[in-house]
Amino acid sequence: MNKLTTAGVSLLLLGSLAACGGGASGSTDGPPKAGGTLRLAITSDAGCVDPQQTTSNDAIYVSRQLVDSLTDQDPVTGKIVPWLATSWDIADGGKSYTFHLRKGATFSDNTPVDAQAVKENFDNVRNLGAKAALATSYLSGYAGTTVVDPLTAKVTFSKPNAQFLQATSTFSLGLVAKASIAKTSDQRCTGGVIGSGPFVFQSYQPNQQVVLAKRPGYNWGSSLWKRPGAAYLDKIVYSIVPESGVRTGSLQSGQLDAIASVGPQDEPTLRSAGIHIQARPNPGVVFALSANHARPLTGDPVVRQAISAAINRQEVVDTVYTKETKPATSILASTTPDYLNLGAQLKFDAAKAASLLDAAGWKLGPDKIRAKNGVQLQLVTVWFPNLGTNQPALELIQQQLKAAGIGLTLQQRQISQLTAVLKSGNFDLSWGNTTRADPDLLRTSFSTALNNYYKISSPQLETLLQKQAAQIDPAARQQLVAQAQTLIIQQADVIPVVELTTVIGVSPKVHQLNFEASSRLQLHDTWISA
Amino acid sequence: MIRYLLRRLLQAVFVLWAAYTVSFAILYLLPGDPLEAMATAGGENPVDPAQLAALRHEYGFDQPIIVQYAQGLAHAATGNLGKSVSTGTPVTTMIVQALPQTLQLTSFALLLALVFGVALALAATLARRRWLSQFLLSLPGVGVSIPTFWVGLVLVQIVSFRLRLLPALGNDGFASVILPAITLAIPLGAQIAQVLAKSLQVELAEAYVETAKAKGAGPVRVQLGHALRNAAVPALTVSGLVIGQLLAGSVVVETVFSRDGVGRITAMAVASQNIPLVQGVVLFGALAYVLASLLVDLVNPVLDPRIVRAPARLTGATG
C-alpha cells in the first residue's frame, strides 16, 4: 500500500509543481529569539521515548532532547568535548575512565547529577539487556563504577575499551534520574524518562504526538552549543505522520515547521516552495554489499574485487537517492571520525572487472552470465525493507553487474529475520548499513571474535581491529583505523556503495535546527523567527 | 426467541475461537521473530543471541507452540491479550485507548454513508427522467471502485493543502474528523445506495405498490411509506456487514490522515510483526463483527416479522 500511496502523491504533486515556481527565499538569521513552538513531523511511533533503550531515528529525535550526556561529540571534527563532565582522565591503557562532573547540574526532579547517578545509570544498563542493545554493547567488558567523590566517577573495564569515550557522548548513555532507573523498562518506554536535558517530557499520545517543554532554570549544557543555558523553544510538538506526501504538503501549507525523512521524490517540490533542505550523511558503515566469505563464489577475492569495480556508484546515487547523497568513498561514511578517502579505489571500471574475471577463468556463457567449471557466477543477495531506496538501488546494481557478466538473485527478507538470515549463512551478499560516529563499528561488524556473520577470516584485519579498540591515543588509533579501511577495500571484504544520508525539510523561519555527530537532531539552539 | 439468542451467542463464541486459532496459526507459521525486529534497530544491528534468548523467555516465546496457544487462549478468554512486543503495554489497554478515536471516525462515516446512500437511492428511483435516474444509479459503482487512499490524498491535497480549510493530520477535534470520515464513507455509502436502489426497484414492481397507488398514494408516499420499509431489510443487512469494511477502511484512512485508532495500530502491528497486538486486533475485529451481525439479526425481525422463523439465513458468522 505504501508504495502505491507514494506513487499517488507523486502524481498529485506533479500538478502542484507547475503551480509554484519561484526560488528559495533567503532568510537572514539575525539575533536568536526565544519562545514559540516547533512543530516537527516524524514518520513513525516507535512506542518508546527512553534514550537508553531506543534505536529508532524518530524516537532519538525526541529522546535526545531529554537527556544530557557526559560528553559531546563535535560533528565537524569528531572530537569529544565537555558536557556534563568538564574533563576526564583515561588510565590503565584504556581500562579506566575518570569523569569530573560539573557542579550544579540537576535532573528535572531536582535530584543532583552526581557520581552516584553515573554509577546507577551504567550499573543498570545491563539489566535492560537486549532492550538496550546499543548501550550494552558500548559497555562491553564493564567492571563497575566507583564514586570517588560526589563529582568524580571512575568507570573501569576488564579490558581496554577505546570506543567508550565516544559512547559517553551518545543518547544511549545519556543520564536519567534515579526515579526513572527504578521503573521497569516498559514504564520508561511509554511514560518518558526524567533527564537533565534542556527539555522535559510533557505528553505522549500514541500514533499522534509527543510534546516536550523547555526546562526553565537549565543553566549548563554542551560546550558545542551557541550559548549554555535554557533552550530558545518553549515547546516542541512532534507529530507522527507516516505518509511522505502528507508530511510534504503539511510543511508547504504551513501546518508544520519541519519534517523528517524527505524522500527523493519530494525534494524538488519542497525546494521550489522555498523550504530549506538540510542533509548530512550518517556516520558509520555505509550501505554496502557484505560478502559471505564462507561461500565458494564470494569467498574468492577476485570475484569480490570484480563486483566492486563493476558497480557504478555515481549512477546509483543519481538514479535512486536524494541529490544530497554521496557515493561511498570508503567502508566508513565521510562523517565518521578517522574516515579515510579511498574513492580512487572505488571508481567504476568495467574494463578492470572484465579483465579480473577473464584472468581468473570466468567465461561468458550464452545467457550473458559468466561461468567457470560449470558453475555460474550467480550470487544470492539478501536485503531487508527498512528503507524505500533499498529495492531500486539493488535492482540498478543488479543491472550494472549483469553488464559485467555477474548475476544477482535478489531475495527480500523480513526485518524480523535479520539475525536469523545472517546466522544461517544462506546468502552470498547482504545489503545493509550501520550508524555510529565511531570507527569501532568496524570491529563490532567484522571482527572474527564477535558474531562474524560474514565469516571474514583475515588475521591481519583482526589484529588491526583489536588494536584500534585498545588504542587510546587518537593519532595512533586513526592510523590503525586507516589501515583497516585500506585492507577492507583492497580485499573487497565488504563492497561499499552509498552513504545513507539523513534529509530533513525545514521552513525558512526555523533557524539552527542542527544535526549532532550521529546525524540525529539536537534542538537546544533551534529558534523560530516571527 | 431465547433459543434463537442462545444459538446466536454460541455461534459468536465459535467465531471468536476460530479467529484466535486461525490468526495464531498464521502468525506463528510466518518466518521471523518480532522481538528480533525490535532489538535489531529496525534491521541495522544484529543482536546478541544470548540477550535475545532472555527476551524470548520474558515474553514466553521460548515455550512449545501448543503451550503458548493454550495459555494465550486461556488468557484471551479473560480479556488478557498479552502485551505489545514493542512497548510492553497490555494489548487490551492499547485497543481500549485507541477505540474512541476509531468509533468517532467510523460512526460519523457510517452516518454519512447512510444519509447519502439512502438519499441517493431514493433520488434515483424517484427521478422522473430516465437519463437522470440512470446517471444517479451509476454513481455508486464509481464510489465503490475508487481506492480509499486515493480519495483521502486528493481530499487532503485540495481541502487542506490548497484551500487550507481543514487540518490534514491528527485527532484534534471535530474539524479533524471530517475529511477522514468522508473518505471512509464514500465506498460504504455507495454500497448502501446500490443495494437499496436495487431492492426499491424490486419492491416498486410488487402488487402491494399497485394497490397503494390505486388507493391514491402519491409517489413519495408510496416510496417512503410502503416500499422503503420492505426494501430496507437487505440494505440494513449490508450495513451490518460493513462494520468489517469500516474497520478495514480505518487502517488506510487513519494512516493517510495520521490519526490514532485501531486501524493505525493494526497497520503498525502488522508491519512490525507484533504478534500479540495483531492477534488482539483480529479478535477485536471478530468481536465487532459478531456484535454487529447479532444486532442486525435482532432488528430485522422487527422490520419483517417473517424473518425470525427462518433459520439464521442472515448471519454474518461465516466472515
Side-chain angles (χ1 to χ4, degrees):
Chain A
M1 182 208 87
N2 235 337
K3 218 190 294 173
L4 280 173
T5 329
T6 316
V9 175
S10 316
L11 275 177
L12 287 169
L13 292 180
L14 278 181
S16 56
L17 241 180
C20 32
S25 63
S27 70
T28 48
D29 272 31
K33 205 172 115 315
T37 298
L38 178 74
R39 297 164 303 168
L40 172 68
I42 51 178
T43 66
S44 66
D45 182 357
C48 190
V49 281
D50 178 2
Q52 293 184 0
Q53 292 186 65
T54 193
T55 47
S56 132
N57 271 342
D58 286 320
I60 295 165
Y61 292 162
V62 179
S63 57
R64 172 72 278 189
Q65 323 307 329
L66 298 174
V67 291
D68 292 330
S69 296
L70 285 175
T71 65
D72 203 357
Q73 185 176 20
D74 188 328
V76 181
T77 62
K79 273 220 174 76
I80 304 301
V81 297
W83 191 343
L84 284 175
T86 49
S87 65
W88 47 89
D89 316 304
I90 307 173
D92 291 340
K95 282 209 251 181
S96 128
Y97 290 77
T98 305
F99 293 94
H100 305 283
L101 305 177
R102 68 164 58 243
K103 239 187 254 168
T106 55
F107 294 107
S108 58
D109 61 358
N110 285 325
T111 53
V113 180
D114 55 12
Q116 183 62 28
V118 173
K119 177 180 163 57
E120 282 165 3
N121 270 274
F122 291 171
D123 283 354
N124 185 64
V125 158
R126 280 194 298 188
N127 301 338
L128 293 171
K131 290 185 173 166
L134 290 177
T136 11
S137 79
Y138 297 164
L139 283 169
S140 86
Y142 177 71
T145 302
T146 319
V147 178
V148 179
D149 65 52
L151 291 178
T152 312
K154 184 177 168 188
V155 185
T156 46
F157 293 92
S158 56
K159 56 177 193 215
N161 190 350
Q163 58 84 36
F164 177 65
L165 189 60
Q166 187 274 339
T168 60
S169 76
T170 64
F171 50 88
S172 304
L173 295 184
L175 301 183
V176 300
K178 196 179 192 125
S180 293
I181 294 176
K183 289 189 172 161
T184 67
S185 55
D186 296 342
Q187 287 170 334
R188 288 171 58 163
C189 259
T190 44
V193 292
I194 297 169
S196 66
F199 291 93
V200 292
F201 181 80
Q202 195 171 57
S203 69
Y204 164 53
Q205 290 161 279
N207 292 315
Q208 277 189 78
Q209 60 178 26
V210 187
V211 182
L212 306 187
K214 167 158 105 176
R215 182 177 168 197
Y218 181 90
N219 67 352
W220 49 95
S222 161
S223 55
L224 288 176
W225 296 348
K226 303 274 181 233
R227 67 153 201 204
Y232 292 107
L233 297 170
D234 286 337
K235 246 195 207 178
I236 311 170
V237 177
Y238 299 85
S239 297
I240 298 150
V241 186
E243 279 301 320
S244 68
V246 176
R247 284 199 299 277
T248 307
S250 302
L251 177 58
Q252 274 179 281
S253 61
Q255 298 181 49
L256 291 169
D257 304 314
I259 58 173
S261 194
V262 173
Q265 73 281 4
D266 294 331
E267 218 181 297
T269 323
L270 287 173
R271 277 187 203 281
S272 64
I275 300 296
H276 295 175
I277 300 288
Q278 280 177 230
R280 186 173 190 268
N282 280 35
V285 171
V286 297
F287 258 105
L289 288 167
S290 298
N292 181 350
H293 291 230
R295 301 266 279 206
L297 298 176
T298 41
D300 180 355
V302 173
V303 168
R304 299 196 303 260
Q305 284 155 354
I307 296 171
S308 185
I311 295 176
N312 185 342
R313 294 170 176 82
Q314 190 62 51
E315 190 188 28
V316 175
V317 168
D318 294 344
T319 315
V320 178
Y321 291 89
T322 66
K323 269 199 191 127
E324 316 289 335
T325 305
K326 283 186 250 165
T329 44
S330 169
I331 181 66
L332 293 176
S334 52
T335 43
T336 324
D338 301 340
Y339 147 86
L340 177 69
N341 189 339
L342 298 164
Q345 295 175 52
L346 293 171
K347 286 231 157 67
F348 170 53
D349 190 344
K352 180 183 164 194
S355 70
L356 278 169
L357 292 173
D358 284 340
W362 291 99
K363 297 273 175 284
L364 266 186
D367 52 356
K368 305 275 186 206
I369 298 292
R370 289 172 188 267
K372 183 163 109 176
N373 304 331
V375 181
Q376 276 210 320
L377 193 45
Q378 185 74 34
L379 307 170
V380 174
T381 307
V382 292
W383 63 280
F384 303 86
N386 55 353
L387 277 181
T389 41
N390 287 352
Q391 185 168 10
L394 281 168
E395 283 170 353
L396 180 56
I397 293 169
Q398 187 181 35
Q399 285 176 29
Q400 293 177 349
L401 292 182
K402 181 100 196 268
I406 304 168
L408 289 193
T409 311
L410 300 182
Q411 295 187 349
Q412 181 185 346
R413 294 284 183 266
Q414 292 312 308
I415 294 168
S416 53
Q417 293 173 276
L418 177 77
T419 312
V421 167
L422 294 182
K423 220 159 54 180
S424 75
N426 288 329
F427 63 93
D428 295 304
L429 297 166
S430 161
W431 175 254
N433 82 306
T434 316
T435 298
R436 188 187 169 186
D438 189 89
D440 189 55
L441 204 50
L442 291 178
R443 183 183 62 89
T444 48
S445 306
F446 306 120
S447 163
T448 53
L450 299 169
N451 288 318
N452 195 18
Y453 290 120
Y454 309 110
K455 306 285 180 290
I456 296 176
S457 61
S458 161
Q460 211 185 342
L461 178 63
E462 182 62 20
T463 313
L464 289 169
L465 295 179
Q466 294 301 342
K467 274 189 176 166
Q468 67 77 30
Q471 181 52 263
I472 47 167
D473 174 48
R477 187 170 181 226
Q478 182 175 19
Q479 283 274 314
L480 294 164
V481 172
Q483 287 172 35
Q485 290 172 77
T486 312
L487 198 61
I488 290 174
I489 299 302
Q490 267 173 7
Q491 293 297 311
D493 288 325
V494 187
I495 300 144
V497 181
V498 298
E499 295 187 339
L500 171 66
T501 302
T502 298
V503 185
I504 58 172
V506 184
S507 151
K509 67 176 190 180
V510 177
H511 310 271
Q512 298 288 340
L513 201 156
N514 296 328
F515 290 115
E516 40 87 288
S518 72
S519 298
R520 275 72 172 243
L521 301 178
Q522 171 54 262
L523 302 175
H524 174 271
D525 289 344
T526 309
W527 59 279
I528 299 179
S529 51
Chain B
M1 192 66 192
I2 295 205
R3 279 184 63 117
Y4 173 75
L5 262 181
L6 267 178
R7 200 177 64 224
R8 294 306 325 263
L9 271 177
L10 273 177
Q11 278 176 351
V13 171
F14 174 79
V15 169
L16 290 177
W17 170 79
Y20 182 86
T21 307
V22 171
S23 63
F24 182 92
I26 293 174
L27 288 167
Y28 282 81
L29 282 176
L30 280 178
D33 178 343
L35 292 173
E36 214 185 302
M38 177 192 71
T40 55
E44 266 206 3
N45 309 295
V47 71
D48 180 26
Q51 288 181 344
L52 197 61
L55 209 54
R56 293 176 64 83
H57 180 71
E58 187 189 327
Y59 279 82
F61 287 176
D62 56 345
Q63 307 240 35
I65 290 245
I66 191 74
V67 176
Q68 288 188 47
Y69 171 76
Q71 278 183 349
L73 191 59
H75 285 153
T78 64
N80 173 4
L81 298 171
K83 54 182 192 168
S84 158
V85 166
S86 54
T87 59
T89 316
V91 168
T92 321
T93 313
M94 288 180 80
I95 293 177
V96 167
Q97 277 175 357
L99 192 56
Q101 326 280 2
T102 302
L103 278 182
Q104 189 193 22
L105 169 67
T106 50
S107 53
F108 188 39
L110 189 58
L111 183 71
L112 286 177
L114 278 172
V115 169
F116 286 97
V118 170
L120 185 62
L122 286 176
T125 42
L126 273 173
R128 302 235 170 152
R129 304 197 185 281
R130 200 176 149 71
W131 65 265
L132 182 61
S133 169
Q134 285 298 323
F135 170 73
L136 290 175
L137 283 174
S138 70
L139 284 180
V142 178
V144 170
S145 49
I146 47 175
T148 308
F149 76 83
W150 186 82
V151 174
L153 289 171
V154 170
L155 282 177
V156 165
Q157 191 70 25
I158 296 171
V159 180
S160 182
F161 298 160
R162 290 276 179 87
L163 306 175
R164 307 193 180 183
L165 293 176
L166 291 168
L169 29 114
N171 300 49
D172 211 9
F174 184 67
S176 73
V177 84
I178 298 176
L179 289 182
I182 293 175
T183 310
L184 194 54
I186 287 176
L188 297 178
Q191 229 174 338
I192 291 170
Q194 245 174 353
V195 173
L196 187 61
K198 187 88 197 154
S199 44
L200 268 175
Q201 283 172 328
V202 172
E203 294 297 332
L204 286 173
E206 291 281 329
Y208 71 88
V209 170
E210 289 305 315
T211 315
K213 279 187 187 161
K215 281 179 162 176
V220 175
R221 188 176 151 71
V222 167
Q223 281 245 355
L224 297 180
H226 297 271
L228 182 61
R229 182 177 165 134
N230 288 316
V233 174
L236 188 66
T237 308
V238 170
S239 318
L241 297 180
V242 295
I243 295 293
Q245 289 176 20
L246 277 170
L247 283 176
S250 68
V251 174
V252 176
V253 170
E254 286 175 354
T255 305
V256 168
F257 289 92
S258 312
R259 292 176 63 83
D260 186 26
V262 178
R264 183 82 172 277
I265 289 184
T266 311
M268 211 173 66
V270 171
S272 59
Q273 218 177 320
N274 192 334
I275 293 181
L277 194 50
V278 175
Q279 275 211 286
V281 291
V282 166
L283 270 186
F284 169 77
L287 185 68
Y289 209 66
V290 161
L291 287 178
S293 54
L294 191 59
L295 195 68
V296 168
D297 285 359
L298 291 178
V299 174
N300 269 339
V302 179
L303 285 177
D304 185 347
R306 287 167 301 181
I307 287 174
V308 77
R309 317 273 178 249
R313 69 179 162 107
L314 288 162
T315 62
T318 45

